[in-house]
Amino acid sequence: MEENITQRRTSDGEPIRKSTAPKKRRRRRRPAVVFRMSMLVFIWMICFISCFAAYMIGKNLFPEEAPKADSEVTASSRVTEESSSSADSEAVRVKTNPVPKGTVMTSSYLTECAFLGDSVIYQMGKNGDLDKKNVYSADTLTLDTYKDTYVPVGSSQVHFLSAINGAESPIYLMFGTDSLTEKTPEEAADAFSSLLNAIKNAAPDADIFVLSVPPVTEAAETAEPALLNSSIDAYNSMLLSLANSANVYFVDSNTALKNNENKLDTANALEDGIHLNEGGAKKLLDYVLCHVPA
């Protein structure tokens, strides 16, 4: 390649030789990238540590309520269920019938009770065997008439069911003596069941005691109309079943008055052989006083 020379002269006349050929540029070499596996691992560890640190900071700043373990939830549920079951069983405790003999109560217990019944209870109040203020009865009160009958309360006449409305004292029931001369034991028991439900609705907080109907003398079984001890026994068995179904108390006062022939002894009966005299009433009430549940 020939060089192009531009002729210039210096002050002494000598030409200056200058090359006009283009200069070649040198290329700068870039440093080679060295791929190292250790560098990649290092970067990954830095990222992991940063993310973990951010997560822990967030948990500390905004803590969440730890969920209960399954065992804790189960235990808590079991305690709640057992407490509820215990409260329910306490509220509906099954009565033991017939009421067994227990501690003998004093006669003052009778003044805390209400006695409801047909002619047997009415006669006991009339004769003074029971305090009149504790007797809710009338000479016309029966299983068929209780919805329309008024009974004396103090100086007033009050509807039979209204007289015990909201009562909380123990309530003793004796009905059936007057009905069994006209009804079968089954019919009388059906009528008593309706009465018992009405009593429970009127006084839901009261302890209710069903008294079995007393036996009658042999003379009463042959009278007109006849009242048979076999019918009384069958009826009393039905009353026990009704008391169990309704979860109320049943007091087998009939047993206390039976003699060896399973009848009412004439020494404990009025002339009609059905109603109780003072001795018979005392036997019945003594039985009640030693058959009060604890």
Side-chain angles (χ1 to χ4, degrees), residues 13-287:
E14 289 294 325
I16 299 173
R17 300 176 68 87
K18 184 177 181 181
S19 177
T20 61
K23 296 180 180 180
K24 293 182 178 181
R25 295 182 178 178
R26 292 182 179 181
R27 294 182 178 178
R28 294 182 178 180
R29 296 181 65 184
R30 296 178 180 177
V33 177
V34 179
F35 179 83
R36 294 181 179 178
M37 190 64 181
S38 59
M39 181 65 70
L40 180 61
V41 173
F42 177 76
I43 293 173
W44 180 85
M45 289 182 65
I46 293 296
C47 293
F48 175 79
I49 292 172
S50 300
C51 293
F52 183 77
Y55 172 78
M56 293 303 296
I57 292 172
K59 291 291 287 184
N60 290 332
L61 291 177
F62 306 102
E64 297 179 357
E65 183 178 355
K68 292 183 178 179
D70 290 343
S71 60
E72 294 178 0
V73 174
T74 303
S76 176
S77 300
R78 189 183 300 114
V79 170
T80 301
E81 291 174 359
E82 290 177 355
S83 298
S84 176
S85 176
S86 176
D88 291 342
S89 63
E90 182 69 19
V92 293
R93 181 178 296 174
V94 177
K95 309 294 190 297
T96 300
N97 287 319
V99 176
K101 187 174 182 179
T103 303
V104 179
M105 305 291 286
T106 63
S107 58
S108 62
Y109 170 77
L110 300 177
T111 64
E112 302 170 2
C113 305
F115 288 85
L116 286 58
D118 52 19
S119 62
V120 174
I121 294 295
Y122 173 75
Q123 196 70 43
M124 290 173 67
K126 182 179 178 181
N127 294 343
D129 303 311
L130 285 170
D131 194 321
K132 286 185 178 180
K133 70 176 183 295
N134 298 107
V135 174
Y136 297 82
S137 184
D139 57 355
T140 58
L141 181 62
T142 67
L143 288 173
D144 294 323
T145 64
Y146 72 89
K147 293 180 181 179
D148 304 314
T149 300
Y150 285 75
V151 296
V153 177
S155 59
S156 304
Q157 292 288 324
V158 181
H159 189 272
F160 172 67
L161 291 176
S162 299
I164 58 160
N165 189 45
E168 296 181 358
S169 59
I171 296 176
Y172 284 82
L173 305 176
M174 182 187 285
F175 282 86
T177 298
D178 298 317
S179 300
L180 288 172
T181 57
E182 300 174 353
K183 298 179 181 293
T184 65
E186 292 78 11
E187 292 170 338
D190 286 342
F192 184 89
S193 179
S194 298
L195 168 63
L196 181 58
N197 288 332
I199 298 292
K200 290 185 67 177
N201 290 333
D205 297 325
D207 284 331
I208 298 175
F209 294 80
V210 176
L211 292 171
S212 59
V213 171
V216 296
T217 64
E218 184 176 0
E221 292 186 290
T222 58
E224 186 63 38
L227 180 56
L228 303 178
N229 280 301
S230 58
S231 295
I232 292 174
D233 290 342
Y235 175 68
N236 285 335
S237 295
M238 295 176 194
L239 292 187
L240 173 59
S241 297
L242 287 173
N244 288 331
S245 298
N247 197 30
V248 299
Y249 293 108
F250 178 84
V251 180
D252 187 18
S253 49
N254 176 282
T255 300
L257 293 166
K258 279 183 175 179
N259 59 18
N260 293 334
E261 288 76 35
N262 292 322
K263 304 177 189 298
L264 179 63
D265 198 299
T266 55
N268 295 319
L270 295 178
E271 188 176 350
D272 60 12
I274 295 175
H275 298 96
L276 304 176
N277 61 16
E278 183 179 358
K282 185 178 186 307
K283 277 194 171 184
L284 187 150
L285 295 177
D286 285 346
Y287 189 88

